Amino acid sequence: MEPPPPINESKLIQNIITVLTSSPQTEPQQLKLMNQYIPNLKPSLIQSVLSSPPLSTKPNTLLTFFKWCQSHLPDFPQPINTLPCLLTIIPPLIRFKKFSDVKSLLVSFISKDRNLLLDSLLNAKSAYPPPSKELLDTAIGAYVQQKRSDLALQVFNKLRRMGYRPNLLTCNTLLHAYASKKSTYSLSVCEYVFKDSIRLGVMPNVNTFNILIKGYCLNMKLKEAVEMKNRMHDEFGCCPDNVTYNTIFSVYCAKGLISEARDLLVDMKSKGLEPNRRTFNIFVSGFCGVGWLEKAAETVELMIGSNYQPDDFTFNTLISGYCKEGRIGEAFKLLELMKSVKLLPDAVTYNALINGCLKWRTSMEAIKLFEEMCKKNVKPTVVTHNIIIKGFCEEEKLKEAREWVEKMEESGVGPDCITYNTLVNGYSKAGNMMEAYKTIDEMLRKGLRTDVVALNTFLHTLCNKGKLNEAYELLCTAPKKGYDLDEVSYGTLIMGYFKEENVDGALKLWDEMKKKKILPSVVTYNSVIGGLCKMGKIKQAMDKLNELSGSGLIPDAITYNTLIHGFCRERDVEKAFQFYNQMVAKSLKPDVITCNILLHALCKEEILDRAVKLFRTWVSREKAVDATTYNTLIMGLCRGGEIEDALDLLLEMKEKKQVPDHCTCYSIVSTLVQLGRTDEALNIISEMKEAGKIPNESSFTATQKLISQGQQQDKSEEEVACYSEDQESTSDITYTKQIDELCTEGKFKEANCVLEKMKQQGAAVSKSTYITLMKGLVTRRKRTSNVAR
């Protein structure tokens, strides 16, 4: 049998062109006739057909034939075969302004491409002709649509290098791709693209600026956002619109910067713009966020007066605000108002009310709301169920919480990770570890991804109960249960070891964490440094500080406060002040905690001149002080016998509306009594009693909290008690008992005589004896005054 005669490609190409351009047939008929040529259609032949002059004026025919090849030829869809043909038909499509078709083809190709198209666009030595401006413009949009903004940026750079002016839509598309990402790099790309577009002659519009402003706001660069808003008008003559202002309003209000938002609102109105519904809703949300519910309600009234009917978002925001503040009655009134204006409450509305009732009222009321919700055909969501389950857990009604999960499943709503993690947390806090473990196993059987928060709650509970061996075993087995351990997991157990004064165990776990490539943050470093300082391991704490800095992290104010506190514990005040000076040099603002730590150390070491100087310098610089600051210095001055300075500070404290604590008042009273200034002491006692500050006797030895550092700072033994009771000899105790008995019988004059006898003999008088006697004298004075009247 003779082989078939060779195919004449020229004739075949001509026949295909004839079929495609013949007018009598309809398009389906033409394509049907094409089926006979399928065995002979190779990519090179297809390209010849597409590049033929007769088809160059028929963009629709070119597009139809290209798509037919994609769907009928098995090898054609491969990018390496498709690309030459794609680049052949794009120029005529662009010439006939078929830009949407070109973009559609590029998007489809990019989804399968491994950067062949990118190479043809960027490479000067490519086998293809240089890309046109229109092709580069359209390719940028296609790459962005395929979420390949990195490649779109490369094409933009090519366009820039060729000196082409990009299309405004192209610029805005690329800017939007990067402005929507929360990162410093993305923001810098936006600034670069904007700057180069302007240089190439692009005239930005309001959308351009709104995109940039959104990028600044997303990255919390509020100053830059406002500056860009000003530039758009001053430099480019482009007027801001409601979107511009609303974008900035949203961030101001979200951050609680209400004053700044109001100033910007004035600026907005000066530009002839009126707030719209979105503006009002932003302010309602902002006011609720800072607890200004009256202002939020006034804003709703303004909405109605401005013909902007509040929508469900408005009501839901305000209802949620009232519920968070415990004003449940007002929240229910809003619900009725919402119904009266023909707005139907949705799941968000009921979720806020149910959550409010669980927090401020009873679970019974929350359940009634749930039932009402179902009757109104508002379908409860998984969030609704989770709120109720959490409420039961917080009320320690764990049986009801478990039963609700079953009810939830029966209604067709599947529990999620939050559901089970809430149960795990509830069981853990109740100390029911067995049920917590069972819940985790159930969660895993259902294929739900476990939450490390539940594990960390578990660990925290075990550590608080001193069950460190169990906690460590759980940490080791957690990965097998599907948990991804994090630094909080290790940090929790490390602090548990420090609490039990097991420094070796804590540091061993620290090394284990780092071996597993779990990188500690500054918070975890601070916890370890604090633990070491508490144990007197100041040198090891310093090693951790050096390790922190060497790992590229930056010590924060808590780091320095922790070390300052550590050196103060070691009675090395000079070293503490060195770190204070370093803190200032590194622009880390010392706060009231720093001041209180240093003041306490100076007073303890009886360096009173320096303590007073530190206090006065601090106040003169208008830095914050609190009651602890005054109490610390006053007690120090009393111990040093500087009673006049102490009294001046007490007066200053009252003028600043700071409340002296029991220990402070007692220090001053006892010092005055010991100096023989009984009348002054009695006046202070009277003031204390009238102000409701007279405690019972045991309160004078109650715990005084050490200057807390907010996170994981432990109490110092020196400040657990305001003052320890004086050591008493046997004879002292006898006198003290005699005074107490006389006071109990109301014989205060006799008791005072015993006190004088004790002082003459040099006997130690306990603080409780002084206060018992003075309380009695005050009572007697008032009784006498009443009789005189």
Side-chain angles (χ1 to χ4, degrees):
M1 184 176 179
E2 294 183 5
I7 298 170
N8 186 328
E9 284 195 0
S10 298
K11 188 174 181 182
L12 182 60
I13 291 168
Q14 188 57 49
N15 288 343
I16 293 172
I17 292 171
T18 302
V19 170
L20 291 172
T21 56
S22 55
S23 53
Q25 284 105 3
T26 62
E27 186 177 287
Q29 289 174 324
Q30 290 173 338
L31 295 178
K32 189 174 181 181
L33 290 171
M34 290 298 303
N35 291 338
Q36 61 184 308
Y37 301 114
I38 289 176
N40 301 316
L41 286 175
K42 298 177 181 178
S44 59
L45 190 143
I46 296 168
Q47 187 179 4
S48 298
V49 173
L50 292 170
S51 61
S52 64
L55 290 181
S56 65
T57 59
K58 296 182 179 294
N60 292 336
T61 304
L62 280 171
L63 197 58
T64 301
F65 177 58
F66 181 84
K67 290 182 177 179
W68 178 87
C69 290
Q70 284 183 309
S71 59
H72 287 76
L73 306 180
D75 296 333
F76 189 76
Q78 295 178 11
I80 196 168
N81 295 327
T82 310
L83 183 60
C85 299
L86 177 68
L87 294 176
T88 299
I89 70 166
I90 281 178
L93 291 177
I94 287 175
R95 196 165 57 249
F96 283 91
K97 302 188 183 307
K98 298 277 187 179
F99 296 111
S100 60
D101 291 318
V102 172
K103 185 177 180 181
S104 178
L105 290 173
L106 290 174
V107 168
S108 176
F109 183 83
I110 290 168
S111 66
K112 307 178 188 70
D113 183 27
R114 292 189 176 180
N115 295 344
L116 289 172
L117 174 62
L118 184 69
D119 184 63
S120 71
L121 296 174
L122 303 183
N123 194 347
K125 298 178 181 178
S126 171
Y128 307 103
S132 65
K133 169 194 172 299
E134 291 78 11
L135 173 55
L136 294 173
D137 261 325
T138 312
I140 290 170
Y143 276 118
V144 168
Q145 187 170 326
Q146 281 295 308
K147 303 189 185 305
R148 296 304 308 272
S149 52
D150 54 332
L151 302 186
L153 183 61
Q154 291 185 48
V155 178
F156 177 83
N157 288 333
K158 171 72 174 182
L159 188 147
R160 179 181 56 82
R161 286 194 300 272
M162 295 180 73
Y164 291 144
R165 183 173 68 191
N167 185 284
L168 176 60
L169 179 60
T170 302
C171 294
N172 287 350
T173 301
L174 186 56
L175 284 171
H176 186 269
Y178 278 96
S180 300
K181 299 175 184 177
K182 190 177 181 179
S183 80
T184 305
Y185 167 74
S186 296
L187 200 55
S188 65
V189 170
C190 286
E191 291 172 336
Y192 152 74
V193 170
F194 176 72
K195 183 178 178 181
D196 266 22
S197 299
I198 299 299
R199 188 178 58 80
L200 291 168
V202 176
M203 278 302 296
N205 62 7
V206 67
N207 290 336
T208 314
F209 290 104
N210 285 345
I211 291 166
L212 286 166
I213 288 168
K214 181 182 177 183
Y216 282 125
C217 288
L218 186 64
N219 288 276
M220 295 301 163
K221 302 280 188 181
L222 291 175
K223 181 181 175 183
E224 289 83 349
V226 174
E227 286 175 355
M228 185 59 71
K229 188 266 302 178
N230 294 333
R231 283 186 65 193
M232 69 187 286
H233 180 268
D234 298 341
E235 292 183 31
F236 298 92
C238 193
C239 294
D241 60 7
N242 283 79
V243 174
T244 316
Y245 283 98
N246 287 343
T247 303
I248 304 175
F249 286 145
S250 293
V251 185
Y252 272 147
C253 290
K255 290 177 70 65
L257 302 172
I258 305 300
S259 178
E260 289 82 349
R262 284 170 158 177
D263 291 342
L264 192 65
L265 183 62
V266 172
D267 178 72
M268 175 183 176
K269 291 181 176 179
S270 72
K271 298 287 193 301
L273 291 171
E274 288 298 322
N276 57 17
R277 180 180 284 107
R278 168 77 175 144
T279 315
F280 282 115
N281 280 342
I282 290 168
F283 273 91
V284 169
S285 181
F287 286 135
C288 288
V290 295
W292 295 3
L293 298 179
E294 280 68 26
K295 290 290 181 184
E298 287 173 15
T299 306
V300 173
E301 291 176 10
L302 278 173
M303 285 181 78
I304 298 170
S306 302
N307 296 318
Y308 286 109
Q309 186 69 25
D311 56 13
D312 53 355
F313 176 88
T314 319
F315 280 103
N316 287 344
T317 302
L318 194 49
I319 286 171
S320 179
Y322 278 126
C323 288
K324 284 177 183 176
E325 294 294 319
R327 296 163 65 172
I328 309 300
E330 289 165 277
F332 276 107
K333 286 180 182 177
L334 270 178
L335 177 65
E336 295 307 314
L337 177 61
M338 186 178 184
K339 293 173 182 176
S340 70
V341 295
K342 310 300 181 186
L343 282 173
L344 297 176
D346 56 13
V348 177
T349 321
Y350 280 105
N351 288 349
L353 289 165
I354 289 170
N355 194 37
C357 285
L358 285 168
K359 186 176 180 181
W360 301 101
R361 291 190 176 180
T362 64
S363 54
M364 188 179 296
E365 287 183 81
I367 302 304
K368 284 182 180 178
L369 270 173
F370 179 85
E371 291 169 353
E372 177 189 320
M373 182 181 185
C374 296
K375 287 178 183 176
K376 299 282 186 182
N377 293 321
V378 180
K379 188 175 181 181
T381 64
V382 67
V383 175
T384 317
H385 290 285
N386 287 343
I387 288 169
I388 293 175
I389 291 165
K390 183 182 178 183
F392 281 136
C393 288
E394 287 177 350
E395 290 181 2
E396 297 184 1
K397 296 179 178 178
L398 296 172
K399 181 183 177 183
E400 288 87 341
R402 168 56 73 177
E403 289 172 351
W404 195 275
V405 174
E406 295 170 5
K407 178 180 179 180
M408 176 182 181
E409 289 178 303
E410 288 170 4
S411 70
V413 180
D416 61 7
C417 294
I418 296 173
T419 315
Y420 285 105
N421 284 324
T422 302
L423 280 176
V424 171
N425 290 341
Y427 285 127
S428 296
K429 288 175 181 176
N432 192 341
M433 296 305 180
M434 185 62 70
E435 284 300 321
Y437 278 118
K438 285 181 183 178
T439 305
I440 289 175
D441 289 337
E442 181 183 340
M443 188 178 183
L444 292 171
R445 284 197 307 272
K446 292 188 176 181
L448 291 171
R449 181 175 175 79
T450 51
D451 187 348
V452 73
V453 174
L455 171 72
N456 294 340
T457 304
F458 235 53
L459 288 170
H460 183 73
T461 304
L462 290 171
C463 289
N464 276 350
K465 291 178 178 291
K467 298 180 178 179
L468 295 180
N469 291 335
E470 289 181 46
Y472 182 71
E473 185 181 347
L474 174 59
L475 193 76
C476 295
T477 58
K480 298 175 185 176
K481 295 180 178 291
Y483 288 102
D484 294 324
L485 299 177
D486 62 9
E487 65 156 330
V488 177
S489 314
Y490 279 94
T492 301
L493 191 49
I494 286 170
M495 290 313 299
Y497 279 121
F498 274 124
K499 187 177 179 181
E500 295 295 317
E501 300 185 359
N502 187 345
V503 177
D504 292 338
L507 295 180
K508 182 182 176 182
L509 202 60
W510 172 269
D511 293 336
E512 184 182 318
M513 175 180 76
K514 298 193 78 176
K515 280 180 185 177
K516 292 188 176 180
K517 307 295 183 187
I518 298 174
L519 300 177
S521 67
V522 174
V523 174
T524 309
Y525 269 106
N526 288 344
S527 299
V528 173
I529 290 170
L532 290 168
C533 286
K534 182 193 171 189
M535 298 303 298
K537 307 282 186 181
I538 198 74
K539 185 178 181 302
Q540 287 175 274
M542 289 297 297
D543 291 340
K544 285 291 174 279
L545 173 66
N546 295 332
E547 187 182 310
L548 184 160
S549 301
S551 64
L553 297 172
I554 300 173
D556 59 13
I558 293 176
T559 318
Y560 281 96
N561 282 343
T562 303
L563 286 163
I564 290 169
H565 196 185
F567 282 111
C568 287
R569 275 199 187 99
E570 296 297 305
R571 308 188 74 165
D572 191 345
V573 178
E574 294 305 321
K575 194 69 175 177
F577 268 94
Q578 284 179 28
F579 272 91
Y580 170 76
N581 293 333
Q582 283 185 35
M583 192 176 183
V584 174
K586 292 180 182 292
S587 298
L588 290 169
K589 295 181 180 179
D591 56 12
V592 67
I593 294 172
T594 322
C595 178
N596 291 345
I597 292 170
L598 290 169
L599 272 180
H600 178 262
L602 290 169
C603 291
K604 184 180 175 184
E605 296 299 315
E606 297 184 2
I607 313 173
L608 294 179
D609 289 346
R610 197 168 175 183
V612 172
K613 184 179 178 182
L614 173 65
F615 175 78
R616 290 302 171 198
T617 302
W618 195 268
V619 172
S620 68
R621 292 176 181 173
E622 297 184 348
K623 292 190 175 184
V625 293
D626 59 13
T628 303
T629 317
Y630 281 101
N631 290 331
T632 301
L633 188 52
I634 289 171
M635 286 192 289
L637 290 168
C638 287
R639 283 197 296 270
E642 303 289 343
I643 187 61
E644 298 303 330
D645 290 339
L647 289 171
D648 288 343
L649 271 180
L650 181 64
L651 183 61
E652 182 181 318
M653 188 178 187
K654 291 176 181 177
E655 286 172 354
K656 292 189 176 181
K657 308 298 183 184
Q658 298 282 3
V659 181
D661 63 12
H662 301 149
C663 298
T664 303
C665 293
Y666 183 67
S667 295
I668 292 177
V669 167
S670 61
T671 304
L672 286 170
V673 170
Q674 287 169 9
L675 292 172
R677 297 163 64 172
T678 312
D679 288 342
E680 291 176 73
L682 289 172
N683 286 334
I684 290 176
I685 290 287
S686 297
E687 289 176 12
M688 288 171 66
K689 185 160 187 172
E690 287 170 8
K693 293 296 174 184
I694 287 285
N696 58 36
E697 185 174 318
S698 62
S699 296
F700 279 93
T701 56
T703 301
Q704 179 194 15
K705 291 182 180 178
L706 175 65
I707 305 160
S708 173
Q709 293 187 12
Q711 283 186 321
Q712 303 170 12
Q713 296 298 312
D714 296 288
K715 293 179 181 178
S716 168
E717 291 180 4
E718 292 80 9
E719 288 186 284
V720 169
C722 298
Y723 290 96
S724 61
E725 294 295 332
D726 294 331
Q727 297 294 320
E728 296 180 313
S729 66
T730 306
S731 60
D732 298 340
I733 294 171
T734 303
Y735 278 126
T736 299
K737 186 176 180 183
Q738 188 179 355
I739 290 172
D740 289 344
E741 288 174 354
L742 289 168
C743 287
T744 303
E745 295 172 8
K747 298 177 180 179
F748 301 111
K749 186 175 179 181
E750 292 85 343
N752 198 32
C753 290
V754 175
L755 176 66
E756 291 301 322
K757 187 177 180 181
M758 287 181 72
K759 289 163 69 176
Q760 289 170 8
Q761 294 180 0
V765 185
S766 71
K767 306 293 189 290
S768 58
T769 302
Y770 270 121
I771 200 65
T772 301
L773 184 55
M774 282 187 283
K775 285 168 67 176
L777 289 170
V778 170
T779 305
R780 181 186 172 196
R781 175 186 282 185
K782 289 201 170 184
R783 193 184 303 129
T784 305
S785 299
N786 291 335
V787 170
R789 289 193 199 101

